[in-house]
Amino acid sequence: MTDVYEAILNELEARNVAYARKFPPYYISSLGCHIFNIMNQQKGIYTEAGLKVNTRQHIILVTVPGFGKSFWLRQFLENELSLVKGTKVGCTFESQMSEAGYVGTAKFNSEGVAQESPGLCRNESNSIVGIEEFSAISAAVSQNYNAGLDTALLTALDSGMVRKRLAAGKIEYQTNLSLWTGVQPARYELSSGLARRFLFLLLIPNFNDIKQFKLNRRSSKNVKTNTLTLSKLKAAINTRYDDIMKKLEKVEFDRTIYKKLDELDVVHYEEPLYERIALGYWLMKVKEMPKTLTIKMDPTLDALFDNEKGDRFKIKRGTQLAQVWALVQDVGRISELKLKNHLLDFGMDWQDASDLIMTLIKLKWVKKEVNGDIVAIRDKK
């Protein structure tokens, strides 16, 4: 009888990681949704309009280099000291991936015989996969990307049914793979088919965040994993896996969930994202799995909903502009040179930084004084 949600967060806090309760709750929820989905595709205990609901919760973390895109994937998935690796939940970690490598392809060999090259979705069909750099995802959610995205990638992320007809033959299979990845700040179109299949997490660091990451990195030096505690945690994850597979017979959503979604004015096609946050949260949170799991609001879930709604709004507004604004707003006044140097550290080039500063001036969020200082003049969240 373990609160697995809290046990994972406690383990991360013991490792002295920064923001252990900001982003990991969503990964823990995704873990619960992943296990549940494997069971639901077999038993069909949760349906909508007569069809089995696919509950996988794919995650994209949007942040600048050095602020956690790879870090959280390693903490959960990379090796035996990670939180999930070595449990009954399959997982793997990839440094980079193309669309063909993800869904697979078929080619003619040197003798003219058609051969299928299975993709990650087939080889790891019941796994959670962390990918540091997924170029197809980065391009597809960008507002500057105009080419048509291969529908095989969309369906692999949505229903899990992959169908792809190529000159060398047809690829067709079902996958339960859950994807965790990250991208750098840019302008993303969240109403697109691909973006609606992802939970977006956002970290636009201000100077306080920079300081906090620095302090946590230093304090985590020589912090060793307690292997006994980790073994107990993995045993608890395995027990939770078995309980979801064998004990759970029904899930029902309390009206408090939809009252909250109405308060947030969530559009209907984004509601499943929040339902999955709640489903995964309670799957991992309850100490003992009941036959019927009631999904309801509580203070923690309320905050998770608010944060996701806020992150999606900021991403729609434009994350690169938010990068500049976060730094200026944090201190109130900063020299233009210092501001640009920090933006260079975040991977932004000099011209883009200059253009974004000018945009903030035109929006009257900041002003530029004669001494070159950039000053915040609008208190805007």
Side-chain angles (χ1 to χ4, degrees), residues 31 64 66 70 77 80 115 171 188 232 276 291 300 304 375:
L31 172 60
V64 299
S70 301
L77 307 174
E80 70 279 357
Q115 288 186 333
I171 299 172
Y188 297 116
K232 290 180 179 178
R276 291 167 195 166
K291 288 185 177 181
T300 299
L304 293 177
V375 181

Side-chain angles (χ1 to χ4, degrees), residues 1-9 11 27-28 31-32 34-35 75-77 82-91 128 180 229-245 283-284 289:
M1 296 192 296
T2 302
D3 179 343
V4 182
Y5 174 90
E6 195 64 32
I8 292 175
L9 293 180
E11 171 62 23
Y27 291 100
I28 299 168
L31 172 60
H34 177 82
I35 299 169
Q75 285 292 321
F76 279 91
L77 307 174
S82 302
L83 304 175
V84 180
K85 190 77 169 181
T87 68
K88 292 184 177 181
V89 182
C91 61
I128 297 175
W180 297 351
T229 302
L230 182 60
S231 294
K232 290 180 179 178
L233 174 58
K234 292 186 177 185
I237 292 174
N238 286 338
T239 299
R240 184 53 45 93
Y241 182 98
D242 290 338
D243 288 348
I244 293 172
M245 291 291 178
L283 284 167
M284 304 305 283
M289 189 61 59

